[in-house]
Amino acid sequence: MEWILGHDWPTDKKGAYAILSERAKQVDCTANISEPTSIVAVEAAYGHGGASVYAAAIALTFPDLQEVERSYFHLPTEFPYIPGLFYFREGPALVNALLAMKTDPDLIMVSGHGIAHPKQCGIASHIGMSFDKPTIGVARRLLTGTHRPVKETKGSSQPIRQGQTELGVAYRSKDNVKPIFISPGHQCDLAFARNIVVRCLRGYRLPEPLRFAHLLANKHKRYVERDNRNKQPDPAP
């Protein structure tokens, strides 16, 4: 994969908002994609005390969801925890994990929001613009907007709205389990994003591509941090 729309990585809120303001104008939520044949999903996990970010990417065929490739990357965490700016905290590791992929996918699925974001430019939108790819965001928590109560049965949903603007959908992916929040990130619309995510569900709360990426990111974290602990010198007698 190729990082098309690169930038320097800011280390403070002012620099991040400057990039966010420019990129928010470039988000494209029109449906210019046909049926995908491949998906790459990417997810991040935090190390002990949040000191490091561990990213994993996995490429799958679609719609049968067979693994093609996986990649990992980790870096020290350099950007502070600021809701709405997670791209600048997790992005360096996520981008590098994607850059390590030989697969050139039709679609990227990101753990986080697309346009269901206060500036309508969440982490999925940034990733989509960075790689010039159709991108969908799937988040576990609502960041902005409101929705009516979602029935407890699988398949129930409610639109996420910010004022009169529909940003995404709260979707119950499993009976009696908290909904997920789906929104287009870039180069796709909400109907397309919802359709793809629903078709990737296999009985769990998260769609399979992101469930796999989540498991891999945490496995990578455990492996690296266990290895680092084993390399620690024995304490002095």
Side-chain angles (χ1 to χ4, degrees), residues 46-60:
Y46 289 94
H48 181 70
S52 298
V53 181
Y54 295 86
I58 182 168
L60 303 166

Side-chain angles (χ1 to χ4, degrees), residues 142 146-160 169-181 194:
L142 188 68
T146 58
H147 64 82
R148 292 180 177 177
V150 181
K151 293 180 181 179
E152 295 291 333
T153 52
K154 178 183 176 181
S156 301
S157 66
Q158 288 290 340
I160 302 167
V169 60
Y171 186 88
R172 188 83 63 183
S173 54
K174 189 176 180 181
D175 289 348
N176 302 311
V177 169
K178 291 180 180 179
I180 55 175
F181 303 96
R194 173 179 174 150

Side-chain angles (χ1 to χ4, degrees), residues 10 13 18 29 42 94 123-124 140 144 231 237:
K13 183 164 62 174
C29 284
V42 65
L94 296 174
I123 189 169
R140 299 175 183 86
T144 193
K231 290 179 181 178

Side-chain angles (χ1 to χ4, degrees), residues 23 96 160 232:
R23 287 191 149 201
N96 277 286
I160 302 167
Q232 295 284 336

Side-chain angles (χ1 to χ4, degrees), residues 41-180:
V42 65
E43 166 74 290
Y46 289 94
H48 181 70
S52 298
V53 181
Y54 295 86
I58 182 168
L60 303 166
T61 58
F62 183 84
D64 51 338
L65 303 181
Q66 298 299 306
E67 181 177 345
V68 176
E69 183 186 3
R70 61 178 67 176
S71 65
Y72 306 95
F73 204 89
H74 66 278
L75 288 169
T77 307
E78 296 187 349
F79 193 84
Y81 177 92
I82 303 173
L85 297 178
F86 280 5
Y87 170 69
F88 302 99
R89 184 171 171 86
E90 300 177 358
L94 296 174
V95 165
N96 277 286
L98 290 168
L99 286 171
M101 300 290 287
K102 296 178 182 177
T103 302
D104 184 25
D106 297 322
L107 173 73
I108 304 173
M109 191 177 290
V110 181
S111 178
H113 293 283
I115 64 168
H117 177 275
K119 301 295 184 181
Q120 297 185 25
C121 185
I123 189 169
S125 300
H126 284 286
I127 293 290
M129 286 184 283
S130 293
F131 288 90
D132 192 28
K133 292 285 184 183
T135 309
I136 297 169
V138 182
R140 299 175 183 86
R141 290 182 291 275
L142 188 68
L143 180 60
T144 193
T146 58
H147 64 82
R148 292 180 177 177
V150 181
K151 293 180 181 179
E152 295 291 333
T153 52
K154 178 183 176 181
S156 301
S157 66
Q158 288 290 340
I160 302 167
R161 299 186 185 277
Q162 190 176 57
Q164 298 302 310
T165 304
E166 188 171 341
L167 300 179
V169 60
Y171 186 88
R172 188 83 63 183
S173 54
K174 189 176 180 181
D175 289 348
N176 302 311
V177 169
K178 291 180 180 179
I180 55 175

